[in-house]
Structure formats: C-alpha cells, structure tokens
Amino acid sequence: MPGVYQLTLDLLEEEIHELRTLGIKAVLLFGIPSWKDDLATSAYAPDGIVQRAVRQIKALDSDLVIITDTCICHYQTEGHCGIPVNGRIDNDVSLDIHVKVAISQAEAGADILAPSSMMDGFVTYIRHALEESGYKDIPIMSYGIKYASSYYGPFRDAADNLPAFGDRRTYQMDPANRLEAFREAQSDIEEGADFMIIKPGLPYLDIIRDMRNSLQIPLVSYQVSGEYAQIKAASQNGWIDEKNTVLESMLAMKRAGADLIVTYFAKDIAKFLREES
C-alpha cells in the first residue's frame, strides 16, 4: 500500500514526532513478530513486538492514546484468529490465549484494547480478566461487527496472516447478513464493550447507520486496506482526485453515524485539513 510502512522500533521516535506535529492523538498498533508457533506465544510475550512498542511509545509521548489490536492471527502458525484443533477453531482454547494477550498489552501500558478475533464471548472473558488483574479502567474497543470481507486483501499480504487452511467465515460475519450485526453488537455490549467497531467502513454504511439508530455507544468505522488501496490506485492513475475522494469518504462515514474512524489515510487527512485552515 503506497505510503504505508511497517516500522521497526528504531523508527518510532521519528514517527511519533510526526504524529505529534500533525495533531494525531491516537494510534492502533499491529505487530509483525519475528517468529510464530501453534499457540501464538509471541503475541503475549513480555518482550513481544507490540509490548515493546507500547512501552517505547509511552516513553516518547505519554499523552498519545495507544490502542492495541488484541488478536493472534499474526502470531499463530496457521494464520487464524483462533487456535485450530483437529482442523477446527476451538473457541474456548482461543479465549484463554486472547486473555493472555490482553493482560500482556495492559501490563505494557496500552490505553485501549481492541479484540478483533470474533470469538464468541471474547469481550466478557477479557473484561473479567482485566478486572481480576487490576485493570478495571481500560476500555474495550470491540471488533464486534466484523465482516468476512474481500477488502482485507492488502493487509493480509502485508501482515503475512492469510489462513493456511480454510478461511475466516466460520467466525467472521456473512456480508449478506444484516440482522446478525444487531445480535453481535448487543452481545458485546452486554459483555462490557465500551466502543463498537464496524469493519469494513464505506461498504457497510448501512450497518453503521443501523447501529447509530439503535445503540448508545461510541461507534468506530474502520476503513480497511482494500478501501485505502482502491483510492490510492485510482488517484495514481489519474482517475479520481485523491484529496476530495478521501475527505468525501470520511464525511460519508461520519454522516452515517461513526464517532471515530480508523484509517490508513490519517496522516494525509491531517495534512489536508491543515492546508485548508
């Protein structure tokens, strides 16, 4: 994806300085580990890449809000968001691993945890574990409405987390199923979610509006890698105006009801807005 890079820890100081200069106040961290195994142990190791990054960022800028992606697909040998057992994803075993990841990220200093695996019960398991470990005030930003989308392609290539067998449709949501979003959202809210992510963003504006009409909880639209890549490719070919298309996309998600937007265009948008001020 043009303009998007994997960063090593030695580049964090320069990156954080740029974010501060642009006025960006929050980041969502994903880690690319140096090794993987069947139980995704590198996802919750004290010296894991995300844990180290969180501590380093906090030392550089204690005011920057750090959200951590709490999942295991980057760290697990088979590339699934849960633990495979005999060719099937074992939900309960997966929850135990996700709790370990959540606690390790909280211990490192994460401000908000964003569990993204879509395992049944992941919010309540993490919420209880946080409270038992003394982290009662850490919010959970649940990927509660996450569709099994084709728009994730560029990210999966970059993160090397394409499933080694099957796909993620057994635990992510059917793009054709609108009603499931209500059930998933209500379940996560009852379990203690503080934010609700709808992912992808622009192709699911109807779902964002449905949730805005029915939920009293902050909603987060996640503009995913495929959405970003399409706009970038079209603009590089001279087919669209990048700035206006990006800003119109943001406006559409806000109009639909999103309170927050996760996007790879964050730095570009900050620059666009600065130019207009």
Side-chain angles (χ1 to χ4, degrees):
M1 297 188 292
V4 178
Y5 306 96
Q6 297 176 3
L7 297 178
T8 50
L9 296 179
D10 60 302
L11 298 176
L12 275 181
E13 184 171 1
E14 180 181 350
E15 182 73 12
I16 298 306
H17 175 74
E18 183 181 12
L19 296 181
R20 187 187 299 116
T21 301
L22 292 172
I24 293 173
K25 302 182 185 303
V27 293
L28 173 56
L29 297 186
F30 294 81
I32 307 298
S34 58
W35 52 276
K36 305 180 181 185
D37 60 26
D38 290 346
L39 294 178
T41 56
S42 60
Y44 56 86
D47 61 347
I49 187 62
V50 166
Q51 290 76 5
R52 293 167 63 195
V54 170
R55 291 192 292 268
Q56 190 166 325
I57 293 170
K58 280 299 180 184
L60 292 167
D61 187 347
S62 60
D63 293 329
L64 186 68
V65 174
I66 301 177
I67 309 163
T68 50
D69 181 73
T70 307
C71 195
I72 62 173
C73 56
H74 311 155
Y75 311 89
Q76 201 274 332
T77 309
E78 304 290 346
H80 273 285
C81 299
I83 300 297
V85 177
N86 297 325
R88 297 172 63 88
I89 303 302
D90 190 310
N91 196 86
D92 292 346
V93 171
S94 302
L95 290 176
D96 290 338
I97 301 296
H98 282 78
V99 163
K100 293 180 180 180
V101 177
I103 296 302
S104 73
Q105 292 175 345
E107 289 174 343
D111 297 296
I112 300 173
L113 303 185
S116 61
S117 69
M118 290 293 285
M119 296 294 110
D120 292 339
F122 66 165
V123 172
T124 192
Y125 263 67
I126 290 172
R127 172 60 66 205
H128 290 162
L130 289 172
E131 292 184 355
E132 290 175 359
S133 300
Y135 298 104
K136 296 181 179 181
D137 297 327
I138 293 185
I140 294 177
M141 181 182 284
S142 172
Y143 286 72
I145 304 173
K146 183 177 181 181
Y147 284 89
S149 173
S150 299
Y151 283 87
Y152 304 145
F155 175 84
R156 288 178 178 169
D157 289 340
D160 187 28
N161 71 341
L162 190 70
F165 66 91
D167 54 37
R168 297 190 173 107
R169 293 181 181 274
T170 58
Y171 45 92
Q172 294 179 0
M173 293 167 52
D174 181 355
N177 193 332
R178 174 173 167 267
L179 295 179
E180 187 179 8
F182 292 95
R183 297 195 297 272
E184 292 286 354
Q186 193 57 47
S187 174
D188 281 8
I189 291 171
E190 291 173 357
E191 291 177 13
D194 301 285
F195 304 77
M196 188 64 57
I197 293 176
I198 297 94
K199 182 179 182 182
L202 205 62
Y204 293 87
L205 293 181
D206 59 320
I207 304 300
I208 296 174
R209 172 46 56 183
D210 282 341
M211 295 304 105
R212 181 75 292 151
N213 289 341
S214 60
L215 302 179
Q216 299 300 314
I217 187 173
L219 299 180
V220 184
S221 176
Y222 196 132
Q223 187 185 45
V224 300
S225 59
E227 298 176 74
Y228 174 89
Q230 286 180 333
I231 293 175
K232 276 291 185 183
S235 66
Q236 288 181 347
N237 277 288
W239 298 335
I240 61 173
D241 179 275
E242 180 174 331
K243 174 183 175 180
N244 289 329
T245 303
V246 170
L247 294 178
E248 185 176 343
S249 298
M250 298 300 110
L251 183 62
M253 288 183 276
K254 290 293 288 184
R255 187 183 65 242
D259 298 290
L260 303 170
I261 298 172
V262 176
T263 174
Y264 295 93
F265 282 113
K267 292 196 289 187
D268 292 327
I269 293 167
K271 294 172 185 176
F272 295 155
L273 297 177
R274 179 166 295 186
E275 292 170 359
E276 294 182 355
S277 62

